[in-house]
Amino acid sequence: MKKQNILARGCLKIVASAILADVKLWLPARRNRLAIGKTTVESGRFTLRTLFPGGKMPPSTAGRDACRYSPGGYVAGLLTAFLILNQPVGATAQPATEADPFHFASAKLDVQLDAQAPGLAALDVDGLGLGKRGTNVLHELTASNIDFTATVSTNDGGTKVDYRRVGQSTDTPPPWTVAVNEGGMTFISQWSEAGAPAALSLKFDDTRCHATVLGIINSNGVIQLPALLHLPGQGSLRITATGAEDATLGYTSLRKGGITVKFPAATAAAPQVEYRLEVTAIYPDLPGIADDHRFDSFRRNWLDVLQLNPGSRQLANNSGSTSCAFCYYEYADIALKTPPLADGLTALDVVRQTLDAIFAGARAYGMPAKGNFPAESSDTFPSFLIAADDCVLGGGSDAWLATNYTKIKGWADKMLATDTNGDGLVKYIMSGNSGTWPPGFPKIRPANWWDTIGFGYEDAYGNALAYRSLGCMAHMAAQLGKTKDAKHYRIAAKKLKAAYFKTFYDPATGVIGGWRSADGQLHDYYFLWVNGIAIRYGLVPPAKAGAIMDKLMAKMSEVGYTNFNMGLPGNLITVTLKDYVHRTPDGHFGGGVRPDNADGFQKYENGGATGCFAYFTLAALYDLGRRDTADAILFPMLAEYSRGGFEGRNALGFSNDWRMWDGTAKGYEGFLTDNYYTMLAVFERQTTNSSSLRR
């Protein structure tokens, strides 16, 4: 109680200070929703049948947007702040009350049940059960079908609403029942001639939370159960079903169009179907994180890198965006270390589904396409190979590997065939020479993930991934007893490593350059992630690694970058215009009009701050024993993940996946999964067993 009182007094002080400073306070909004249908309220201690006066529901605070309270309302503000912070962590459930019978809150979730039709009006969860309240993840939509009577009952610490059609007898089953308790929700659909149900839909607002469903998608486009509904920054809902053979969900997602999850209704053939949505957080249980709240965002956000696009059946930038071939290894590295999502479902199953789509002829960004990549990017085949090997390392994939070995081996052989001069390094089809990129919107994309910077020919990042992927290919060959193949790929990896440092080390700066173009020039812009991956994967002689990191940290201090909560810049000095691919008059994609490209610096991929690929710098720092330096970057980032700082948009529509060093948003996706690969850095800090990422 003493600790609670201290928290409460601190909150009161903050609120009072805000009042004295004439700052408007932000408190939960209250909104009325029309309750056109009749509402009946019941509880274990009393029965109250009410048609709310004037047809309006009492107001609720659950999951609503914020509204401003002026300083004149300070008493309510102080009281609210006191009540919020005086709640112990993991507070007991708060079932429906007479004042707001459709609202339920517990330490794991906050739900506003819909008063008009089967469904939810608002939802947020805390997968850790610590009582953290987040944004309402649902679209606030007026129900399209309001021809229902809602009967509310409370018992055993939970709330249940039966939805019957107006005029339907109470002696007949309700088409839908929604029940909620402190651990999750249950949707029950019952069929009868009197009340044949329609599907229950939840529509998620991707400007608030970019929800995704992780699972196996059938050929008809529905997703098998069990599945996992993941809410980035909050936690997950594990969805199971009983009463229907081969139960499925509808799942659709559109770019800037929201995400819809549809629960099929009971039928005459399956007269009662029950869906259980269990609140959970799925993450690796690492030493030392359970009682350290600095890692809470690691536990809530671990799965954020996995977003399944239902249209393509592939993991993607987000569930409504493009699937990028060169990102597959990121998804697989996370999936390999992820506990089961549900009985019979793993994250690696979703990765295999993505690779199976490629085997079947699906396309992904980074593969040849007119107006983009004239050939596979230098990191596409390595990404495929690493992802495939992660599936094998996860177990249960030997038959899958045997079936697909010829195609997987084909990726490795085609990658090695790009070494046209025999020096051991893989090569991209474009020269990477300065001044060869046409102005305006890119007509041809460069060599790797960083698709607005002129990487070409021999790419230091692509070759680092290729080195790791050759070890992966050797492992897969050995797994099937193909010793000759395994030896071949180990030799190729050794040859690549022998050429790497002497090709990409820049003695003028003391760091690894970004790419060596076909004309022999080394292009070096102090790329943090290039140097990080080279050190992490063992491509830098140990005697040189510390000195390289010293140079990078000194340069970062010199240029004045300190806002580590936003992640790290990809490059510490501007990429000149002759080496930049995407140029616009306002420079918002990192390429401007000045020859030195100073007008494009800090924008998007040209030195913009991001969580993307920050992992490699952090991993290298931890490998080198520089824990304090790494922690000074990691923990501000974890705090930023906790507040959702790497997602969402500003008033101009730019998103926070890329930011200028002053915090100005310059991204466009709204939610970019690569930002969350950084979660792997927690492994480097908390364990010593991460050799699979170095192989």
Side-chain angles (χ1 to χ4, degrees):
M1 181 61 71
K2 181 178 179 181
K3 185 175 181 180
Q4 295 175 28
N5 288 338
I6 291 171
L7 286 171
R9 286 197 298 272
C11 179
L12 294 175
K13 183 177 179 181
I14 292 169
V15 176
S17 298
I19 293 168
L20 292 172
D22 197 27
V23 176
K24 292 185 177 181
L25 307 178
W26 289 80
L27 297 173
R30 293 180 175 268
R31 293 186 180 178
N32 286 324
R33 288 176 60 88
L34 287 177
I36 298 176
K38 186 177 180 181
T39 303
T40 303
V41 184
E42 300 175 353
S43 80
R45 291 184 297 172
F46 63 89
T47 299
L48 174 66
R49 297 184 179 274
T50 306
L51 179 62
F52 292 110
K56 280 194 174 184
M57 279 289 300
S60 168
T61 64
R64 296 297 186 232
D65 295 335
C67 71
R68 291 184 185 267
Y69 279 67
S70 68
Y74 71 94
V75 174
L78 293 174
L79 179 59
T80 302
F82 178 84
L83 292 174
I84 291 171
L85 284 192
N86 208 35
Q87 290 293 320
V89 171
T92 56
Q94 301 171 21
T97 65
E98 182 177 346
D100 190 352
F102 292 92
H103 177 230
F104 178 92
S106 74
K108 286 193 171 184
L109 76 169
D110 193 339
V111 180
Q112 188 72 31
L113 299 159
D114 202 304
Q116 303 175 29
L120 308 178
L123 171 69
D124 72 86
V125 308
D126 180 0
L128 299 182
L130 298 178
K132 180 184 177 183
R133 294 281 75 97
T135 186
N136 170 26
V137 300
L138 300 176
H139 270 294
E140 293 186 348
L141 301 174
T142 301
S144 59
N145 186 350
I146 56 177
D147 187 27
F148 285 90
T149 296
T151 302
V152 185
S153 58
T154 61
N155 51 64
D156 299 327
T159 297
K160 183 181 77 169
V161 181
D162 291 327
Y163 297 93
R164 287 183 175 85
R165 299 190 183 279
V166 171
Q168 182 182 348
S169 171
T170 56
D171 294 333
T172 58
W176 282 100
T177 295
V178 177
V180 57
N181 60 28
E182 62 181 340
M185 299 176 289
T186 304
F187 300 162
I188 303 171
S189 178
Q190 298 183 79
W191 183 90
S192 69
E193 292 184 357
L200 187 157
S201 294
L202 300 179
K203 186 164 186 179
F204 295 86
D205 186 341
D206 60 9
T207 67
R208 299 176 180 180
C209 179
H210 218 293
T212 190
V213 180
L214 300 176
I216 302 304
I217 300 176
N218 290 341
S219 59
N220 61 353
V222 296
I223 199 161
Q224 299 175 16
L225 291 180
L228 192 81
L229 170 60
H230 181 61
L231 306 175
Q234 297 192 7
S236 302
L237 290 158
R238 183 181 291 115
I239 306 175
T240 56
T242 58
E245 187 176 354
D246 300 325
T248 60
L249 292 177
Y251 171 40
T252 58
S253 182
L254 301 172
R255 186 187 286 270
K256 299 183 182 179
I259 300 104
T260 301
V261 178
K262 185 174 291 188
F263 296 81
T267 63
Q272 179 168 319
V273 182
E274 182 173 318
Y275 302 94
R276 176 64 183 163
L277 290 77
E278 174 196 359
V279 178
T280 186
I282 296 175
Y283 57 90
D285 188 13
L286 300 179
I289 69 171
D291 299 318
D292 189 337
H293 289 298
R294 295 179 300 172
F295 295 107
D296 285 353
S297 62
F298 166 82
R299 299 195 289 163
R300 291 189 182 99
N301 295 74
W302 170 257
L303 288 177
D304 288 7
V305 78
L306 302 177
Q307 289 261 321
L308 179 60
N309 185 317
S312 66
R313 300 188 181 94
Q314 293 164 282
L315 291 165
N317 288 344
N318 59 61
S319 60
S321 186
T322 305
S323 183
C324 294
F326 40 57
C327 298
Y328 289 0
Y329 81 93
E330 298 178 80
Y331 311 149
D333 285 347
I334 292 286
L336 177 61
K337 298 180 181 298
T338 300
L341 305 181
D343 288 344
L345 177 67
T346 70
L348 284 173
D349 292 333
V350 185
V351 174
R352 269 189 297 270
Q353 174 177 244
T354 300
L355 292 174
D356 286 342
I358 299 297
F359 292 143
R363 310 302 290 172
Y365 189 70
M367 299 174 74
K370 185 177 180 180
N372 279 321
F373 294 90
E376 287 84 1
S377 67
S378 64
D379 48 353
T380 284
F381 287 136
S383 181
F384 285 170
L385 293 167
I386 294 167
D389 191 43
D390 278 345
C391 291
V392 175
L393 286 168
S397 292
D398 284 359
W400 176 85
L401 173 62
T403 298
N404 296 294
Y405 181 80
T406 300
K407 292 180 180 178
I408 294 171
K409 182 178 183 295
W411 292 337
D413 292 343
K414 191 171 182 181
M415 175 182 74
L416 289 176
T418 65
D419 179 16
T420 52
N421 65 2
D423 66 356
L425 298 171
V426 301
K427 293 166 181 63
Y428 186 54
I429 195 170
M430 301 303 295
S431 71
N433 294 346
S434 297
T436 58
W437 305 101
F441 188 88
K443 300 172 180 62
I444 297 176
R445 291 291 180 177
N448 64 38
W449 188 100
W450 296 74
D451 62 351
T452 64
I453 300 175
F455 286 87
Y457 197 57
E458 293 177 337
D459 160 23
Y461 166 70
N463 272 278
L465 272 187
Y467 172 69
R468 179 185 168 194
S469 75
L470 288 168
C472 293
M473 188 65 232
H475 171 259
M476 288 186 282
Q479 187 76 5
L480 296 182
K482 298 180 182 295
T483 55
K484 184 177 180 181
D485 285 353
K487 181 179 179 181
H488 170 67
Y489 295 116
R490 283 195 293 267
I491 291 172
K494 185 176 180 180
K495 185 176 181 181
L496 189 159
K497 183 176 182 178
Y500 189 92
F501 186 76
K502 64 184 181 183
T503 299
F504 297 117
Y505 179 70
D506 185 353
T509 61
V511 302
I512 301 293
W515 73 96
R516 190 171 291 279
S517 51
D519 61 8
Q521 180 184 354
L522 183 62
H523 302 253
D524 180 7
Y525 295 99
Y526 288 91
F527 294 107
L528 290 173
W529 49 282
V530 170
N531 286 267
I533 195 173
I535 293 171
R536 176 63 177 139
Y537 286 0
L539 290 165
V540 173
K544 292 285 189 179
I548 287 174
M549 191 58 70
D550 287 341
K551 293 285 188 179
L552 293 171
M553 295 299 105
K555 191 65 175 181
M556 187 154 60
S557 177
E558 176 190 324
V559 299
Y561 184 78
T562 57
N563 292 335
F564 299 126
N565 63 299
M566 298 189 299
L568 292 171
N571 45 287
L572 296 176
I573 62 175
T574 187
V575 177
T576 57
L577 204 61
K578 63 185 179 181
D579 279 341
Y580 210 80
V581 179
H582 195 164
R583 309 174 206 171
T584 59
D586 63 358
H588 72 270
F589 282 114
V593 295
R594 290 176 47 167
D596 64 1
N597 204 17
D599 52 333
F601 188 48
Q602 300 184 21
K603 298 175 182 178
Y604 195 52
E605 293 180 4
N606 186 12
T610 181
C612 302
F613 289 22
Y615 162 75
F616 293 116
T617 303
L618 289 165
L621 286 167
Y622 285 123
D623 280 351
L624 293 171
R626 303 188 181 194
R627 185 183 176 106
D628 290 346
T629 302
D631 283 356
I633 299 169
L634 176 64
F635 284 111
M637 289 186 69
L638 289 177
E640 190 79 353
Y641 288 122
S642 185
R643 74 172 196 87
F646 289 94
E647 60 194 86
R649 300 179 185 275
N650 65 11
L652 298 176
F654 293 110
S655 60
N656 293 316
D657 37 0
W658 297 90
R659 285 177 279 186
M660 297 183 69
W661 297 2
D662 64 2
T664 304
K666 287 295 177 182
Y668 71 90
E669 281 282 9
F671 185 95
L672 181 59
T673 52
D674 306 85
N675 273 283
Y676 301 91
Y677 188 62
T678 302
M679 295 296 164
L680 276 178
V682 176
F683 263 89
E684 316 307 328
R685 188 184 192 277
Q686 301 301 112
T687 72
T688 57
N689 182 22
S690 53
S691 59
S692 67
L693 301 190
R694 303 184 195 185
R695 187 179 53 256

